[in-house]
Amino acid sequence: MADVLFIIFALAALLGATGLLASRHPLAGALCLVGTMLGLSGLYALLAAPFLAVVQILTYAGAIMMLIIFVIMVLGGAIDRSLPHSGRSRLATGLGLAAGLFSVLALALSKTVIPAEALQPAREIPAIGLALFAPESGWWLLILSASLLLLAAMAAAILLAKRRLDAEPEEHAVVEEHA
Amino acid sequence: MSVSPLLVQGVAALLFVLGVATVLSRRNLFFVLMGVELLLNAANLSFIGFASQFPGTAGMDGQLMVLLVIAVAAAEACIGLALVVCLFRGRGSLDIDAYSALKE
């Protein structure tokens, strides 16, 4: 049963990633990436990480992909008619480098000794919380740094999107012209 | 009830490679951003795949690291999309080859 589910979810993730690579319109690519996120969330649930499966759906498929799709829509579908799908030489470079990277990764994996322990039982949410905030483990630094990072990112995004805080909204004309 | 850990790592490696191919071969800014998201997700799958094999705190550490990666991905999407909006306002193009001012 777990094997069948694993194959289904892994296929969903891989097909979504392939669709992202091959799709023409950014919106189609974003929807393919949502499929990848959902498949990955199923994989996390299979791999003893039910909490991260939920976080994956909430944060990635819910928040991040929604943000990307929102900006694609705001920029008028964001498709340039003159923009080629991708340059031929660029495609060859990308696929060649990817194939080389995969051979390196496969070589590294074939030399890795993974302990043949049984799959661990699913880790419950209280255990994750206790591990995260245990004073002796130091993982609370992760929460601190993540919150600082998110705060800085939010401030930077506001500053970037609103060029001058005292600027009049004459920038709207520029955006609509291209939309 | 056992999924081969090597198979999980193989899927993660394939996802990573597809992400690299997307980042390198596409010219649209949005595809480059989404390729980076795919890279982060492949790393997450690798973390969780190894974490599911280790008992006790070692396995827990792998899952906690994924939380940090997700926070980094959220910050990256936030900054990246703000930059895309800025670039589009200034030049009206989403082609990454249009932004080569530093080359000249």
Side-chain angles (χ1 to χ4, degrees), chain A residues 3 6 20-21 23 37 44 48-49 56 60 78 80 83-86 90 117 120 123 139 156 160-161 163, chain B residues 2-3 17 24-27 30-31 37 41 44 52-55 61 63 73 78-79 86 89 94-95 97:
Chain A
D3 287 345
F6 177 83
L20 173 69
L21 179 61
S23 61
M37 305 295 179
Y44 294 173
Q56 171 85 2
Y60 261 115
D80 291 355
L83 192 60
H85 183 213
S86 67
R90 189 186 283 275
E117 305 222 21
Q120 295 297 311
R123 295 191 164 82
W139 279 109
L160 279 174
R163 243 182 250 152
Chain B
S2 74
V3 178
V17 162
L24 288 180
S25 70
R26 299 308 296 260
R27 294 179 63 183
F30 281 111
F31 279 103
E37 295 290 342
N41 270 288
N44 278 351
S52 71
Q53 295 298 314
F54 289 97
D61 289 352
Q63 295 202 1
C78 168
I79 298 284
C86 267
R89 258 190 206 160
L94 287 170
D95 188 353
D97 287 344

Side-chain angles (χ1 to χ4, degrees), chain B residues 50-84:
Chain B
F50 279 123
S52 71
Q53 295 298 314
F54 289 97
T57 55
M60 198 62 90
D61 289 352
Q63 295 202 1
L64 296 183
M65 188 52 88
V66 172
L67 280 179
L68 178 67
V69 175
I70 288 179
V72 169
E76 175 254 334
C78 168
I79 298 284
L81 288 172
L83 281 176
V84 167

Side-chain angles (χ1 to χ4, degrees), chain B residues 21-53:
Chain B
T22 305
V23 169
L24 288 180
S25 70
R26 299 308 296 260
R27 294 179 63 183
N28 192 312
L29 275 172
F30 281 111
F31 279 103
V32 177
L33 266 181
M34 289 191 280
V36 175
E37 295 290 342
L38 192 53
L39 294 182
L40 292 171
N41 270 288
N44 278 351
L45 179 59
S46 181
F47 266 124
I48 290 184
F50 279 123
S52 71
Q53 295 298 314

